[in-house]
Amino acid sequence: MRGKEVIASLKEFISDDTLIVSSNGNVSRQAYNFLPQPQVYLRGSMGLPMSIGLGLALAQPEKQVLVITGDGNFLMGLSSMTTIGNYKPPNLKIIILDNAIYATTGGQETVSSTVDYLKLLEGFGIQHYGSLNSIKSPSKLLEAFEILLTSKQTTVLHINVEEDIENLENIPWQPKEIKNKFMEKI
Amino acid sequence: MIKSIDILNYLSENNFELSTGVPCSYFKELLIELDKSADIQYIAATREDEAVGIACGYYLGKKNCFLIIQNSGLATIGDAFTSLAQLYEIPLLIFVSYRGLEPDKTFPEHVIMGNVTEAVLNAYGIPYWNMKGENWRKILDEALERMKEDSSVVCILVEKGVII
């Protein structure tokens, strides 16, 4: 499966009480196009979606906060996982869509394939669902989403996805509009 | 000199419930006091840009967080300002230690940033105040008013020994 198909298949698990933070580039465009609006669609601040998710989870403990990030973004913000591992807000969930490329900028390789994500997350002391290969076992995704979004602790799901450098149109909302619409729904 | 507890009480009265950042020895007493605070939680970030992310997420969740950083962090923090806090017009109060001034020159690692601290803030277009001494409440009142009115980042520069 491609990242956008994985994001689209999340739809049935997203309720009004799910707050999504999506990383800049294709991931936020896909979240905008395929999931209920409004959510936090990042235009820049590469490396920061997990930190933004941490702040949001602390401010809204009754809601589920779901961070959707690509591997390049996750690796740039890796040290923030230490902070998340320390404070562990139970309502923070993170999905890493790992296509091992910087897809939005034309498909340059990331160094993600060198990482053993399960050992890495264990090292941070963070609960993880595991690593799923969406290409080999797409049917396991739905079960994983259900477990992730009902889990009572900080949980991370790493998913290997197919390379896909097809870019969607930019999100038409201006950043201030994104902020205002998102805050109005809370 | 300003007592840490007085600043924290002021911030708590102004609805700040969270703080984050990366420590500076200029804020040692303030951080000790924060650790004891029942009203304001402190999240120890690993980097200053991460701290901006946490504070922006907290604001999007309709609550207020302030930052405590060293001025060296103004270099690390750039993209978090320009493509997050400023881009989305998220109000943000940041206490920045003003290192690299004359008495601090035994620490050469701070000198260059000390010389350009205000130029850096001007380049980012971030209003700042040098908070020293007795009119600190008035300075913070003014900074918070500006932050709310413009939905902007505001910085409070703090020299050595100002907060005890």
Side-chain angles (χ1 to χ4, degrees):
Chain A
M1 286 169 88
R2 294 179 291 179
K4 69 174 126 193
E5 291 157 348
V6 174
I7 286 178
S9 64
L10 263 168
K11 191 173 180 180
E12 63 182 283
F13 299 92
I14 307 302
S15 74
D16 289 345
D17 285 333
T18 319
L19 308 175
I20 299 174
V21 177
S22 49
S23 65
N24 58 305
N26 280 333
V27 171
S28 61
R29 294 174 202 167
Q30 290 161 0
Y32 176 84
N33 279 287
F34 303 131
L35 295 176
Q37 300 173 348
Q39 306 292 351
V40 178
Y41 310 110
L42 296 173
R43 296 302 302 258
S45 57
M46 181 132 170
L48 297 188
M50 294 79 74
S51 312
I52 296 164
L54 171 59
L56 187 55
L58 291 170
Q60 291 288 329
E62 303 303 321
K63 307 218 170 181
Q64 286 286 337
V65 174
L66 174 64
V67 175
I68 309 174
T69 177
D71 53 296
N73 225 305
F74 180 80
L75 292 176
M76 187 183 277
L78 200 55
S79 73
S80 65
M81 294 306 293
T82 324
T83 316
I84 288 168
N86 187 69
Y87 294 99
K88 291 192 182 74
N91 57 331
L92 178 60
K93 312 294 153 64
I94 300 171
I95 292 178
I96 308 162
L97 296 174
D98 185 356
N99 56 11
I101 56 168
Y102 295 104
T104 313
T105 54
Q108 303 85 357
E109 275 185 21
T110 68
V111 293
S112 180
S113 58
T114 202
V115 179
D116 182 331
Y117 279 87
L118 301 193
K119 282 186 181 163
L120 182 74
L121 293 164
E122 275 170 20
F124 286 131
I126 295 174
Q127 165 78 22
H128 57 81
Y129 177 83
S131 217
L132 283 184
N133 190 319
S134 71
I135 305 154
K136 289 182 190 155
S137 345
S139 58
K140 287 188 179 164
L141 277 181
L142 301 183
E143 184 193 337
F145 293 156
E146 176 73 30
I147 290 170
L148 184 77
L149 286 164
T150 53
S151 157
K152 304 284 184 215
Q153 55 187 322
T154 307
T155 308
V156 177
L157 171 62
H158 171 255
I159 309 175
N160 291 108
V161 296
E162 277 177 72
E163 280 190 17
D164 175 20
I165 56 167
E166 183 195 340
N167 285 344
L168 292 173
E169 288 290 311
N170 254 330
I171 295 165
W173 299 355
Q174 288 302 303
K176 189 180 171 184
E177 207 180 344
I178 294 173
K179 174 191 73 174
N180 290 340
K181 285 183 173 171
F182 178 78
M183 290 181 76
E184 273 165 25
K185 89 162 178 179
I186 295 182
Chain B
M1 288 185 290
I2 311 161
K3 283 187 188 163
S4 297
I5 186 73
D6 291 341
I7 294 187
L8 293 187
N9 285 339
Y10 173 95
L11 292 166
S12 180
E13 283 159 17
N14 279 278
N15 302 316
F16 286 93
E17 295 175 62
L18 192 76
S19 56
T20 181
V22 179
C24 177
S25 59
Y26 286 17
F27 296 124
K28 191 177 165 194
E29 289 82 5
L30 185 65
L31 290 164
I32 290 171
E33 209 58 54
L34 253 181
D35 201 36
K36 292 190 275 182
S37 172
D39 301 321
I40 304 176
Q41 188 189 358
Y42 179 75
I43 301 288
T46 60
R47 295 167 51 104
E48 293 82 358
D49 55 352
E50 179 197 356
V52 173
I54 293 168
C56 287
Y58 202 66
Y59 178 78
L60 290 168
K62 296 191 164 173
K63 290 189 174 182
N64 299 309
C65 173
F66 64 91
L67 260 64
I68 301 171
I69 63 168
Q70 187 175 93
N71 56 346
S72 56
L74 290 175
T76 312
I77 216 167
D79 184 51
F81 280 157
T82 59
S83 77
L84 179 63
Q86 293 178 308
L87 182 70
Y88 288 78
E89 299 183 27
I90 293 174
L92 193 53
L93 172 68
I94 309 183
F95 292 92
V96 183
S97 65
Y98 203 165
R99 301 209 61 149
L101 296 171
E102 203 57 43
D104 205 21
K105 288 208 168 169
T106 45
F107 294 92
E109 64 273 29
H110 296 302
V111 173
I112 296 174
M113 182 45 92
N115 288 337
V116 301
T117 291
E118 296 188 40
V120 165
L121 289 170
N122 285 326
Y124 285 135
I126 292 175
Y128 60 89
W129 290 259
N130 191 338
M131 184 178 75
K132 357 177 166 180
E134 305 197 340
N135 62 344
W136 67 269
R137 279 193 175 82
K138 193 163 166 266
I139 287 172
L140 288 181
D141 283 345
E142 203 181 312
L144 288 181
E145 197 182 317
R146 180 78 176 270
M147 177 191 85
K148 287 175 197 164
E149 264 182 21
D150 296 352
S151 270
S152 66
V153 179
V154 295
C155 284
I156 304 294
L157 296 174
V158 181
E159 293 180 18
K160 189 175 187 179
V162 169
I163 299 180
I164 57 167

